[in-house]
């Protein structure tokens, strides 16, 4: 039982390049989330999906797009990376179809944009 | 404005030296308060949920309590393996919707 799996774990991009962060959960959870964590800022919500087929913007959605591919998978895409998007990205999931509080997190994807 | 503030930012303890971490909040429509533990290079790991003032939860050397304005995470006789960053998050529901607001965390270091 892997829980929440994120790929890649590390990535270096040049400004303007695009990439997709992948996330999959095997807990049959309905809700999935993407957060970013920056020093001194805490965890900030980028996008979330309360159920398969729905996505909503969080606190810091600009520069990102998401796709809820199916119940298990929720991807985050950076279309044109900027240095301000250098961060650690966490995917999380929770049971229920609303915005949960008991979240299960992946181990993170560390992104550097040069 | 909804706000979650954790203090202190960093705490150094000797093994066995008990202490408390604080999480104060100002939100409208509190639904629950959550504590997480985060080890370096890892994702946060859920610890406790508290829903109402007066509620307490315990797990090993940790005990979380909740009042109307703040929560405490009490650590009794800590061990070096308790070293981590502890995050507090508040779930609120109001006319703006439901959100989970994280504090910036307290980094705990326990030395033997």
């Amino acid at each position: 039982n892997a829980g929440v799996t994120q790929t890649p774990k590390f990535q270096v991009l040049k400004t303007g390049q695009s990439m997709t962060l992948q996330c999959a959960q095997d807990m049959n959870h309905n809700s999935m989330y993407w957060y970013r964590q920056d020093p001194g800022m805490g965890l900030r919500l980028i996008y979330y999906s309360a159920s398969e087929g729905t996505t909503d913007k969080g606190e810091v959605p600009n520069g990102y797009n998401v796709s809820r591919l199916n119940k298990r998978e929720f991807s985050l895409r950076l279309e044109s990376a900027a240095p301000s998007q250098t961060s650690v990205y966490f995917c999380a999931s929770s049971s229920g179809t609303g915005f949960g509080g008991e979240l299960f997190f992946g181990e993170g994807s560390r992104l550097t944009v040069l | 404005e909804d706000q979650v503030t954790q203090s202190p930012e960093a705490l150094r303890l000797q093994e066995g030296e008990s202490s408390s971490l604080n999480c104060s909040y100002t939100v409208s429509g509190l639904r629950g308060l959550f504590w997480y533990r985060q080890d370096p290079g890892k994702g946060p790991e859920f610890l406790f949920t508290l829903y109402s003032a007066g509620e307490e939860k315990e797990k090993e050397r940790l005990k979380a309590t909740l009042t109307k304005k703040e929560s405490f995470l009490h650590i009794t006789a800590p061990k070096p393996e308790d070293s981590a960053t502890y995050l507090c998050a508040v779930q609120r529901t109001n006319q703006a919707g439901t959100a989970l607001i994280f504090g910036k965390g307290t980094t705990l270091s326990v030395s033997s």
Side-chain angles (χ1 to χ4, degrees):
Chain A
N1 194 351
V4 178
T5 303
Q6 294 182 229
T7 56
K9 287 186 171 28
F10 299 94
Q11 184 72 48
V12 179
L13 292 177
K14 294 181 180 179
T15 297
Q17 288 184 320
S18 63
M19 77 159 298
T20 300
L21 301 178
Q22 307 285 355
C23 175
Q25 53 92 8
D26 62 4
M27 295 174 284
N28 200 36
H29 284 169
N30 289 306
S31 299
M32 297 186 73
Y33 313 81
W34 276 106
Y35 283 88
R36 60 179 289 173
Q37 187 174 42
D38 301 291
M41 296 294 291
L43 283 160
R44 293 182 292 168
L45 182 67
I46 305 171
Y47 272 94
Y48 74 101
S49 171
S51 61
E52 186 178 354
T54 68
T55 59
D56 287 285
K57 294 179 180 179
E59 183 184 355
V60 288
N62 291 344
Y64 305 95
N65 285 301
V66 290
S67 295
R68 184 74 184 267
L69 304 171
N70 48 54
K71 190 172 185 178
R72 290 186 64 247
E73 299 173 288
F74 189 37
S75 63
L76 178 72
R77 183 162 178 82
L78 288 70
E79 292 290 352
S80 180
S84 60
Q85 293 178 304
T86 293
S87 187
V88 181
Y89 292 86
F90 289 100
C91 178
S93 69
S94 66
S95 60
T97 54
F99 199 113
E102 296 181 19
L103 305 186
F104 292 80
F105 285 85
E107 295 212 333
S109 297
R110 285 146 185 83
L111 176 64
T112 300
V113 183
L114 303 175
Chain B
E1 181 185 348
D2 297 328
Q3 204 161 16
V4 178
T5 303
Q6 293 189 243
S7 62
E9 289 186 16
L11 181 63
R12 291 183 178 274
L13 299 174
Q14 291 289 320
E15 185 173 4
E17 180 186 2
S18 301
S19 188
S20 297
L21 313 182
N22 177 262
C23 172
S24 63
Y25 57 90
T26 53
V27 299
S28 59
L30 176 72
R31 289 188 63 184
L33 186 141
F34 306 84
W35 282 97
Y36 288 82
R37 170 191 170 123
Q38 186 174 21
D39 293 306
K42 304 288 187 182
E45 177 186 356
F46 168 75
L47 290 174
F48 302 111
T49 305
L50 301 166
Y51 289 111
S52 56
E55 190 174 358
E56 299 183 352
K57 292 279 180 71
E58 284 190 69
K59 181 180 180 179
E60 296 180 354
R61 294 176 292 282
L62 301 177
K63 183 169 81 172
T65 62
L66 180 64
T67 71
K68 287 188 177 180
K69 292 184 178 181
E70 58 191 347
S71 176
F72 292 94
L73 185 65
H74 306 278
I75 303 175
T76 302
K79 298 183 178 181
E81 52 262 42
D82 294 322
S83 297
T85 296
Y86 291 86
L87 303 174
C88 165
V90 172
Q91 185 184 39
R92 65 103 173 107
T93 295
N94 57 28
Q95 54 268 50
T98 300
L100 186 66
I101 304 162
F102 279 86
K104 295 178 182 180
T106 293
T107 299
L108 173 66
S109 300
V110 182
S111 55
S112 57

